[in-house]
Amino acid sequence: MKKAKAHFPKIRPIAYEGPKSANALSFKHYNPDEVIDGKTTTAHLRFSIAYWHAFRGVGSDPFGPGTIVRPWEKGTDAVSIARIRMDAAFEFFQKIRAPFWCFHDRDIAPEGRTLAQSNRNLDRLVDHAKDHQKATGVKLLWGTANLFSNRRYMCGASTNPDAHVFAYAAAQVKKALDVTQQLGGENYVFWGGREGYETLLNTNLRREQDHLAAFLHMAVDYAKSISFKGQFLIEPKPKEPTKHQYDFDVASGIAFLRTYGLEKHFKFNIETNHATLAGHTFAHEIEVAAAAGMLGSIDANAGDELLGWDTDQFNTNVRELTLAMISILRAGGLGSGGLNFDAKLRRPSIDPEDLFHAHIGGMDAYALAFKLARRILADGKLEQFVANRYASYDAGYGRDIAQRRLGFRELNKLVLTKLGEPKPCSGRQEYLENLLAQYLANGA
Ligand code: XLS
Ligand code: NI
Ligand code: NI
């Protein structure tokens, strides 16, 4: 591949300079090459850049069009612009030291007048991406299809009342799976888009859920037929764009998948801001997925405590991320998943340099949280506390309860003849919060 012109000429590859560095364009905690337990930090954290935000985000909101104008967005031919944009993107991936990227089909290539034309455009950009991946070593964490922007999807894709739209969405996802496979994608994501409803006055909820399940079964069958090895991921979100999204949260996602016999084929892509919109903490969603053996990947971002929509901000809340990391590490990590920055610049952050500040902050916060979580787990105080709290189920009648060897009759007799009144025991929440605060204050 011939060397392209630099799109971020003033910015050198970001280097680790340690927590005391005064250089804003350096990592304070993310030391990509540091080897921990035989693996580089890069391989542990598997950071990924979200193409739609980093390279298609323009800062628009319902009150005005974009504010962010990139110097490389020049020309009249949409496919040529898309190619140059991709050059800029891969330069960024390398300079920010991200080993992965993620995209929707329509992020990387313009939609054509027909599906055939859209597919041709996509093929051209996929070829370009292949060359870039080869030249840089950056890999595809996951691919997905945009089934929500085009007008045809205004009433949903697979849950659309019109079977014609369902068929179109199927054709689009078939192609998205093909190209994800061609680029070696390690996962494929299904975020609900407009799979939900606004009013029951025009909606048959049962039929829509049946159709969504039919769609996912078709995806599973097709992936098998092409020997696609990537992991399928559902990304729950409770609301936005529709008022009632069907994949509300991880728990309802698990129920949906089990109802329709899909649970073996899917894990979850958990997004911080979607968790909080559902009224959960980030760590709660991770724990629910992990408990079912379905923790897949993370869309790393943050919401705003005061706003009730998906603000997709970069997350620098080390406390929140440390708790999340504890849950992730305890579950044995993310496997083929990673930490994808599904996060965007604020509307007035218009310089290319802001892209670097944003991602440096997100990466550093996660890297610090990772180290803190490792320390906390290695220390074992928290783990030991929780283990002790449940110790009564480890032996005797407690173990018989857990193993379902006793019933109400036996326990009734046991309480009446032997056990009597239980002795209450403190949950020690404040003590544990202080312990956590101490870990955070002492640093990694
Ligand atoms: C939107 C979602 C979306 C998915 C990919 O809220 O987070 O960006 O991650 O379709
Ligand atoms: Ni997301
Ligand atoms: Ni989101």
Side-chain angles (χ1 to χ4, degrees):
M1 218 186 161
K2 71 174 192 321
K3 191 108 181 83
K5 115 180 213 309
H7 296 282
F8 301 94
K10 291 202 204 100
I11 296 176
R12 279 188 311 214
I14 306 301
Y16 171 73
E17 293 182 8
K20 299 228 162 65
S21 170
N23 174 10
L25 289 172
S26 74
F27 293 121
K28 317 293 177 297
H29 302 286
Y30 178 44
N31 187 355
D33 302 320
E34 187 187 355
V35 175
I36 299 176
D37 284 347
K39 266 203 321 201
T40 61
T41 306
T42 304
H44 277 288
L45 296 175
R46 297 169 65 85
F47 287 132
S48 162
I49 308 300
Y51 206 88
W52 53 102
H53 285 312
F55 288 90
R56 301 313 307 271
V58 292
S60 57
D61 70 11
F63 301 92
T67 52
I68 296 171
V69 186
R70 298 299 184 211
W72 52 81
E73 300 279 332
K74 278 198 305 248
T76 46
D77 174 47
V79 172
S80 311
I81 301 171
R83 285 171 65 91
I84 299 171
R85 179 188 300 132
M86 189 174 274
D87 298 339
F90 273 85
E91 184 187 333
F92 176 73
F93 302 160
Q94 271 197 301
K95 286 188 166 166
I96 199 71
R97 307 289 309 268
F100 291 100
W101 66 304
C102 292
F103 67 87
H104 300 84
D105 47 4
R106 303 297 177 248
D107 300 337
I108 60 170
E111 183 148 13
R113 274 193 319 279
T114 63
L115 182 62
Q117 178 67 57
S118 300
N119 288 348
R120 278 195 296 275
N121 291 349
L122 190 52
D123 284 335
R124 290 180 61 190
L125 271 299
V126 166
D127 284 343
H128 199 47
K130 240 185 252 165
D131 292 343
H132 272 299
Q133 288 192 167
K134 208 166 153 222
T136 60
V138 174
K139 294 191 285 184
L140 180 62
L141 186 66
W142 49 262
T144 190
N146 180 327
L147 304 177
F148 44 89
S149 295
N150 191 286
R151 184 165 178 258
R152 80 177 74 84
Y153 295 125
M154 66 185 183
C155 301
S158 68
T159 64
N160 199 290
D162 182 358
H164 189 159
V165 180
F166 182 109
Y168 198 105
Q172 194 182 327
V173 170
K174 174 189 175 295
K175 180 69 179 173
L177 280 165
D178 289 340
V179 306
T180 299
Q181 184 181 40
Q182 283 164 32
L183 291 171
E186 300 193 15
N187 308 270
Y188 184 90
V189 163
F190 295 85
W191 166 58
R194 294 180 195 274
E195 313 293 32
Y197 68 91
E198 294 296 323
T199 173
L200 286 173
L201 293 173
N202 65 12
T203 302
N204 185 326
L205 181 146
R206 171 67 199 265
R207 290 192 79 168
E208 293 204 352
Q209 297 206 342
D210 285 352
H211 298 160
L212 174 57
F215 193 89
L216 296 178
H217 272 292
M218 289 178 200
V220 168
D221 293 344
Y222 182 69
K224 200 167 158 214
S225 77
I226 61 169
S227 306
F228 176 68
K229 293 284 174 304
Q231 172 67 50
F232 274 4
L233 301 170
I234 298 274
E235 181 180 323
K237 181 173 185 179
K239 54 191 168 194
E240 198 202 27
T242 74
K243 179 168 164 175
H244 300 269
Q245 296 278 120
Y246 290 129
D247 302 323
F248 187 93
D249 61 0
V250 174
S252 58
I254 292 172
F256 173 84
L257 293 170
R258 287 187 179 152
T259 301
Y260 289 98
L262 285 158
E263 70 276 14
K264 277 203 249 358
H265 307 288
F266 289 83
K267 289 185 176 177
F268 287 90
N269 183 36
I270 297 170
E271 178 162 322
T272 321
N273 199 176
H274 298 182
T276 49
L277 281 174
H280 301 308
T281 62
F282 183 25
H284 169 88
E285 288 293 80
I286 295 169
E287 286 286 333
V288 176
M294 294 168 92
L295 175 60
S297 198
I298 299 291
D299 266 6
N301 65 13
D304 184 296
E305 274 171 29
L306 304 180
L307 302 177
W309 63 89
D310 203 11
T311 58
D312 287 340
Q313 287 166 238
F314 284 84
N315 197 333
T316 54
N317 181 341
V318 176
R319 186 181 193 278
E320 180 180 45
L321 298 185
T322 301
L323 292 172
M325 268 296 168
I326 290 174
S327 295
I328 292 171
L329 293 178
R330 210 194 270 134
L334 293 171
S336 69
L339 301 169
N340 172 49
F341 289 105
D342 193 350
K344 64 184 177 203
L345 295 171
R346 297 307 91 191
R347 188 170 155 81
S349 301
I350 58 173
D351 293 341
E353 181 179 316
D354 292 314
L355 263 184
F356 283 89
H357 292 301
H359 286 84
I360 288 171
M363 289 166 142
D364 268 340
Y366 260 100
L368 178 56
F370 171 65
K371 290 182 209 168
L372 286 164
R374 280 176 55 86
R375 258 203 58 200
I376 291 169
L377 289 173
D379 229 32
K381 272 200 197 119
L382 274 179
E383 297 298 281
Q384 197 53 56
F385 182 91
V386 177
N388 289 344
R389 195 157 180 247
Y390 293 87
S392 60
Y393 289 94
D394 293 342
Y397 70 90
R399 184 166 56 198
D400 291 341
I401 291 173
Q403 296 177 349
R404 295 199 211 144
R405 282 201 300 249
L406 294 175
F408 280 2
R409 278 193 188 80
E410 294 83 5
L411 292 173
N412 175 56
K413 191 167 154 215
L414 201 61
V415 171
L416 290 176
T417 59
K418 254 179 81 185
L419 297 176
E421 187 62 29
K423 190 168 151 278
C425 183
S426 171
R428 295 263 187 277
Q429 183 170 333
E430 295 78 3
Y431 155 76
L432 294 165
E433 281 168 356
N434 295 352
L435 191 61
L436 177 66
Q438 196 181 359
Y439 283 122
L440 296 177
N442 287 343

